[in-house]
Amino acid sequence: MKRIITVVFAAILLWSCGNKTQFTINGTVVPQLDGQMIRYSIDKGNPVAVDTVEITKGKFTIKGDVQIPELNLLSILDQNKYVAQFFIEPGKIDMTIYPDSFEANVISGSKSNDIFRTYMDEVISLSKAEGELQKRFVNAQSSGNEEEMSAIMFEYETMIDNTQFYAKNFIKEYSNSPVAAYVYLMNFFQQAELEELDSMLTVFEPIGASDLVIAMKERADQLRVSGIGAEAPDFTLDHLGEIAVSLSSLRGKYVLIDFWASWCQPCMMELPNVIEQYITYKDKGFEIYGVSLDRDGEAWMETIVTKNMDWVNGWDQQGEIATMYGVTGIPTTILLDKEGKILAKNLRGADLKAKLAELLD
């Protein structure tokens, strides 16, 4: 009898230990429907489908294991959109999904997701305000109202500053949560240099197993060979799809590598400033190498012609150059000195103007 009790106790203990990584999602879709729900995890910034379950009369259940809280997405089969974005962690999670109103989703049972929702509520508010600014900018640009365009750019830059201030405080408060790593990646990862990344990796050391922190480690390793002071990796693209131009062929000039796309509104908002600086300094030893991440070659060419982007323009159709330089978002700019070494990154607006004046006036 004693042995039976011991075996039963051991089985219970093992079952209990095994459940430390298990999660169960009980979901309801409103309005009610039948179909399939797909769950995605994030691998190196890309959604990867990991589960597909049936939705029956609006109800679905997803079970699995997760070692550390991580960002997940949900979509409904044959609907070309994500219907939920949330942090998953061990335990029971209840959610009500409104496919036509992403912001209305109600998710409970995940402390990490509660933290995430706090951040996202602020982001959604700022995003709406940014959308209104972009509409105003397009209208002002169409009418040629440069004074209004400048005023809107000032408002936009102020909004970005406020967003980053909020994000920094958020990261400090929740530094032991993978959500803080996510917020860092979304706001500062693109601009961060090696010293800052190494510092943040120390901050996030307690959650070093998170895929988000692992991505930061990989980025830091990449910057060790493409950071400020390093020689810019050489590449060659076809200028306007016709003539091959290598980056190294521009040695002897200060070169701004500009990663952009015609669909990128912040890129278009910054473009008048880039054009102004090019006109001012192109005869003083300044060149631009535009690297487009456009999906559509016609849109790329049309934008170059209509916007008078009269510098070297190549199409990075497969994103290979962007990957080489660790570009995680656009616009991204990299300023090189005459020897092809990286001098500065992500100079925009008044900062780009001041740096070029310092170098070339």
Side-chain angles (χ1 to χ4, degrees):
M1 178 65 72
K2 182 178 179 181
R3 176 170 175 76
I4 292 174
I5 292 173
T6 302
V7 171
V8 171
F9 177 76
I12 292 173
L13 182 62
L14 287 170
W15 180 84
S16 174
C17 291
N19 275 324
K20 287 184 178 179
T21 63
Q22 292 181 357
F23 67 85
T24 299
I25 300 173
N26 292 315
T28 301
V29 180
V30 180
Q32 177 180 304
L33 56 78
D34 292 332
Q36 290 183 312
M37 184 69 76
I38 306 170
R39 180 174 73 92
Y40 301 82
S41 64
I42 307 300
D43 181 19
K44 296 182 179 179
N46 298 310
V48 178
V50 291
D51 279 321
T52 301
V53 300
E54 295 298 322
I55 307 171
T56 304
K57 296 182 179 179
K59 303 290 185 180
F60 66 93
T61 299
I62 303 175
K63 294 183 178 182
D65 292 278
V66 61
Q67 297 293 328
I68 190 170
E70 64 177 44
L71 185 67
N72 273 202
L73 300 167
L74 294 179
S75 73
I76 297 172
L77 186 65
D78 296 329
Q79 292 191 16
N80 191 27
K81 61 182 177 181
Y82 296 112
V83 297
Q85 180 184 31
F86 64 101
F87 267 81
I88 195 171
E89 62 186 24
K92 180 182 176 183
I93 300 172
D94 296 313
M95 59 175 62
T96 302
I97 304 298
Y98 297 87
D100 295 326
S101 182
F102 195 90
E103 299 169 21
N105 292 342
V106 178
I107 301 173
S108 62
S110 166
K111 292 181 180 179
S112 296
N113 197 69
D114 292 343
I115 296 171
F116 180 56
R117 187 68 200 191
T118 299
Y119 174 72
M120 288 304 299
D121 285 345
E122 182 70 15
V123 168
I124 289 168
S125 175
L126 290 168
S127 179
K128 289 178 180 178
E130 181 181 345
E132 291 302 316
L133 280 180
Q134 290 179 354
K135 289 178 184 177
R136 287 172 51 199
F137 184 87
V138 170
N139 290 336
Q141 190 177 43
S142 298
S143 62
N145 190 336
E146 295 186 3
E147 183 177 346
E148 176 68 5
M149 289 166 64
S150 296
I152 294 169
M153 281 297 297
F154 179 78
E155 286 186 59
Y156 178 77
E157 289 169 3
T158 301
M159 181 182 296
I160 295 299
D161 289 342
N162 290 339
T163 301
Q164 294 192 335
F165 180 75
Y166 173 78
K168 287 178 180 177
N169 286 334
F170 184 94
I171 292 165
K172 185 183 297 184
E173 182 175 357
Y174 297 106
S175 59
N176 287 331
S177 169
V179 180
Y182 170 82
V183 172
Y184 181 81
L185 287 170
M186 292 301 100
N187 288 275
F188 308 109
F189 185 60
Q190 178 185 341
Q191 295 84 11
E193 292 303 325
L194 181 58
E195 184 178 357
E196 180 186 331
L197 273 177
D198 282 340
S199 174
M200 293 309 300
L201 285 170
T202 300
V203 171
F204 292 136
E205 189 172 356
I207 54 170
S210 168
D211 288 343
L212 299 166
V213 179
I214 290 171
M216 291 171 57
K217 292 176 182 176
E218 292 175 350
R219 168 74 167 170
D221 290 341
Q222 191 175 41
L223 286 179
R224 294 184 206 285
V225 296
S226 64
I228 291 176
E231 183 174 323
D234 197 16
F235 62 86
T236 299
L237 291 173
D238 291 339
H239 170 56
L240 300 180
E242 297 177 351
I243 304 171
V245 178
S246 66
L247 177 65
S248 57
S249 69
L250 303 179
R251 294 277 175 88
K253 296 182 178 182
Y254 289 99
V255 179
L256 185 74
I257 307 175
D258 184 11
F259 291 92
W260 69 286
S262 62
W263 47 260
C264 168
Q265 193 61 41
C267 301
M268 294 299 99
M269 292 174 72
E270 174 65 11
L271 184 57
N273 177 58
V274 176
I275 292 173
E276 178 185 344
Q277 304 318 313
Y278 185 68
I279 292 172
T280 301
Y281 294 108
K282 65 179 181 178
D283 295 327
K284 296 183 179 182
F286 176 58
E287 186 55 79
I288 297 174
Y289 200 132
V291 179
S292 169
L293 300 181
D294 268 290
R295 308 178 187 98
D296 183 341
E298 290 185 9
W300 166 58
M301 290 289 288
E302 182 180 356
T303 303
I304 291 170
V305 172
T306 58
K307 301 294 184 181
N308 296 315
M309 300 167 68
D310 298 326
W311 46 79
V312 179
N313 278 288
W315 186 19
D316 187 15
Q317 191 172 2
Q318 304 300 323
E320 294 175 355
I321 312 305
T323 299
M324 180 191 301
Y325 277 84
V327 173
T328 57
I330 52 176
T332 288
T333 60
I334 300 172
L335 182 63
L336 311 183
D337 66 14
K338 293 181 179 181
E339 287 73 44
K341 292 183 178 180
I342 298 174
L343 193 60
K345 292 185 176 183
N346 292 308
L347 295 175
R348 301 191 187 97
D351 291 336
L352 176 60
K353 182 176 182 179
K355 188 65 177 179
L356 291 175
E358 173 192 327
L359 295 170
L360 294 168
D361 277 344

